[in-house]
């Protein structure tokens, strides 16, 4: 029996022993979204230091980026990120593993802040294009390849992900939550040599038609959405016109997805306080068009299964009350990948497992990192 208030988890194992329902309705996905993604991590008593990339705030208006041609897949964007060097000196010695963390829809690197502070290994949490403090680029050139190439540039350029001074690459465990799981899988399919383990958190690979988006987006308002606002009332109004419930946006303002900035960059005597939204509705709109409402998920999964490599793959699945995954899709993913993939359901965990079941999530992630460590593999 599971005690109220406690998070219980099941051991890694075959999907058939974990996932019994053949289909899941869209209701849990809507519930997760309306409750704001459950970014309520446990407190951290740590001296860990999180460092944000020195990039300035990008252009805030989606409309201003249209027609610029910026951000095509062969000219990737510089992504904003949050890095953490890790607490363990031995873990930072070359070329021990590093962790690359990718967020989902309506989110940013902010979602990983306490996970990073609990890892003794180097970690980098990226703001995907248009999210956090990363530029959007031209929305007309947004594509799967473009998003993947942004991540590739970060992997190739970031010192914590680079590896040893003698040229050896640091093993990278890539973790993607929700939509970030799709991005992580696409990256692994295109650049398998950069991946030592792939972790997909609560996401399947089935086609999701744009009509299934639980947020009824107003496309005209989304396309002209501006991430910078002068007053809290403006933030709420802009999101409401884009299609988001006000109570959801209010929670985001409380938990830090929308930040109140005192002075600083871009401020003036008449604008000493302003708001910046890490959430950009156009990222949701474009991801449904380019990632979800296509066969790219299943095609990507098949490409990974046939790449001839053996790096491990892990599917972390939220409790059946909250998961957005379809059991049929998960079963098919297991059949395609075979013994290379391990699946685990986290009882009582919500869609954001890394926050709602953080202790178990971090424990399992540490075990995954340990298993792909060069020291472990050579022993």
């Amino acid at each position: 029996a599971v005690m109220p208030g406690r998070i219980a988890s099941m051991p890694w194992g075959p999907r058939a022993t974990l996932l019994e329902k053949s289909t899941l309705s869209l209701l849990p996905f809507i519930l997760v979204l309306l409750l704001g993604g459950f970014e309520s991590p446990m407190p951290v008593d740590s001296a860990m230091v999180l460092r944000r990339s020195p990039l300035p705030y990008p252009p805030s208006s989606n409309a201003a980026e249209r027609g610029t041609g910026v951000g095509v897949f062969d000219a990737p964007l510089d992504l904003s990120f949050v890095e953490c060097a890790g607490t363990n000196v031995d873990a930072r010695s070359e070329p021990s593993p590093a962790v690359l963390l990718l967020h989902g829809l309506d989110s940013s690197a902010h979602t990983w802040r306490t996970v990073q502070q609990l890892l003794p290994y180097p970690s980098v949490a990226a703001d995907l294009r248009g999210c956090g403090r990363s530029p959007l680029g031209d929305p007309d050139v947004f594509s799967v390849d473009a998003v993947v190439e942004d991540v590739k540039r970060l992997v190739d350029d970031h010192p914590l992900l680079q590896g040893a001074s003698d040229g050896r690459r640091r093993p990278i465990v890539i973790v993607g939550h929700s939509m970030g799981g799709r991005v992580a899988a696409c990256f692994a399919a295109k650049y398998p040599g950069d991946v030592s383990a792939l972790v997909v958190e609560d996401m399947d690979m089935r086609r999701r038609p744009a009509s299934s988006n639980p947020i009824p987006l107003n496309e005209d308002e989304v396309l002209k959405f501006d991430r910078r606002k002068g007053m809290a009332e403006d933030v709420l109004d802009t999101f409401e016109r884009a299609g988001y419930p006000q109570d959801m946006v209010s929670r985001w303002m409380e938990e830090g997805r929308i930040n109140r900035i005192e002075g600083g960059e871009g401020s003036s005597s008449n604008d000493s306080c302003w708001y910046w939204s890490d959430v950009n509705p156009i990222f949701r709109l474009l991801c449904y068009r380019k990632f979800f409402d296509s066969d790219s998920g299943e095609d990507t999964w098949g490409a990974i299964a046939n790449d001839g490599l053996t790096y491990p793959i892990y599917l972390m699945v939220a409790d059946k009350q909250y998961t957005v995954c379809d059991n049929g899709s998960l079963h098919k993913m297991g059949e395609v990948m075979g013994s290379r993939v391990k699946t685990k359901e986290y009882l009582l965990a919500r869609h954001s497992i890394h926050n709602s079941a953080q202790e178990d999530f971090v424990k399992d992630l540490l075990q995954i990192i340990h298993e792909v460590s060069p020291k472990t593999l050579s022993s």
Side-chain angles (χ1 to χ4, degrees):
V2 178
M3 297 296 292
R6 295 190 61 187
I7 299 296
S9 60
M10 301 179 69
W12 295 105
R15 290 136 309 282
T17 64
L18 301 177
L19 306 166
E20 298 176 353
K21 293 177 68 178
S22 60
T23 38
L24 294 172
S25 71
L26 193 59
L27 181 60
F29 194 22
I30 297 174
L31 180 61
V32 167
L33 285 164
L34 293 180
L35 290 176
F38 300 104
E39 295 197 3
S40 301
M42 66 184 192
V44 175
D45 181 13
S46 171
M48 292 293 293
V49 176
L50 298 178
R51 295 183 177 86
R52 177 165 279 284
S53 56
L55 292 176
Y57 282 94
S60 61
S61 171
N62 293 339
E65 294 290 276
R66 294 198 74 184
T68 62
V70 173
V72 292
F73 72 90
D74 58 350
L77 301 174
D78 286 321
L79 298 181
S80 176
F81 58 83
V82 174
E83 64 179 34
C84 191
T87 58
N88 189 319
V89 174
D90 290 336
R92 295 199 299 268
S93 63
E94 303 165 326
S96 59
V99 185
L100 175 61
L101 302 158
L102 304 179
H103 62 81
L105 300 178
D106 301 331
S107 190
S108 69
H110 179 264
T111 189
W112 301 107
R113 61 201 181 281
T114 50
V115 170
Q116 289 184 275
Q117 291 177 306
L118 292 168
L119 294 176
Y121 296 90
S123 64
V124 177
D127 288 329
L128 296 173
R129 64 166 56 195
C131 304
R133 296 190 191 177
S134 287
L136 169 66
D138 188 340
D140 294 334
V141 301
F142 187 100
S143 68
V144 173
D145 276 340
V147 174
V148 168
E149 290 305 315
D150 295 343
V151 176
K152 175 61 173 172
R153 169 175 271 188
L154 179 63
V155 168
D156 287 346
D157 291 350
H158 198 289
L160 288 181
L161 302 175
Q162 275 293 294
S165 56
D166 62 5
R168 290 176 296 164
R169 287 301 296 264
R170 190 186 294 276
I172 297 177
V173 176
I174 184 168
V175 183
H177 171 239
S178 196
M179 176 63 219
R182 288 282 188 109
V183 177
C186 290
F187 179 87
K190 190 168 185 179
Y191 296 107
D194 289 333
V195 179
S196 294
L198 171 63
V199 181
V200 177
E201 180 189 352
D202 210 45
M203 178 49 59
D204 56 30
M205 295 294 151
R206 65 189 169 100
R207 175 189 283 264
R208 296 170 183 264
S211 59
S212 69
N213 184 353
I215 301 294
L217 294 177
N218 181 326
E219 184 172 334
D220 289 339
E221 294 294 333
V222 168
L223 290 173
K224 63 182 182 182
F225 187 87
D226 195 318
R227 288 189 272 172
R228 176 174 174 151
K229 291 297 176 183
M231 301 175 64
E233 293 81 1
D234 296 334
V235 175
L236 293 171
D237 179 65
T238 303
F239 268 102
E240 186 174 33
R241 285 189 279 110
Y244 288 79
Q246 279 203 0
D247 58 343
M248 177 189 293
V249 180
S250 295
R251 279 191 290 270
W252 291 348
M253 295 176 76
E254 292 174 1
E255 65 185 37
R257 297 197 214 188
I258 300 170
N259 301 285
R260 186 174 187 267
I261 311 297
E262 297 286 350
E265 178 190 333
S267 64
S268 66
S269 58
N270 296 321
D271 187 25
S272 59
C273 171
W274 48 282
Y275 290 83
W276 178 267
S277 175
D278 284 352
V279 177
N280 191 344
I282 202 169
F283 184 72
R284 169 179 286 276
L285 176 70
L286 295 174
C287 282
Y288 261 90
R289 288 181 177 175
K290 302 297 183 177
F291 281 88
F292 284 150
D293 200 358
S294 73
D295 294 325
S296 68
E298 293 186 353
D299 291 346
T300 294
W301 200 251
I304 295 173
N306 295 314
D307 64 12
L309 301 178
T310 59
Y311 65 79
I313 300 169
Y314 300 87
L315 299 180
M316 295 180 167
V317 183
D319 188 275
K320 61 184 178 182
Q321 301 177 74
Y322 304 111
T323 183
V324 304
C325 298
D326 174 78
N327 281 328
S329 178
L330 290 173
H331 182 74
K332 183 176 180 180
M333 290 165 68
E335 288 184 333
V336 169
M337 200 63 66
S339 60
R340 187 175 170 188
V341 65
K342 296 180 180 179
T343 303
K344 177 174 178 177
E345 180 184 15
Y346 291 75
L347 299 181
L348 301 185
R350 294 160 178 168
H351 177 52
S352 181
I353 302 170
H354 63 275
N355 282 320
S356 61
Q358 193 170 84
E359 184 175 356
D360 286 333
F361 178 91
V362 170
K363 179 180 68 177
D364 289 338
L365 182 55
L366 287 173
Q367 181 60 37
I368 292 169
I369 297 169
H370 176 73
E371 289 175 359
V372 301
S373 170
K375 293 181 180 179
T376 304
L377 296 174
S378 62
S379 62

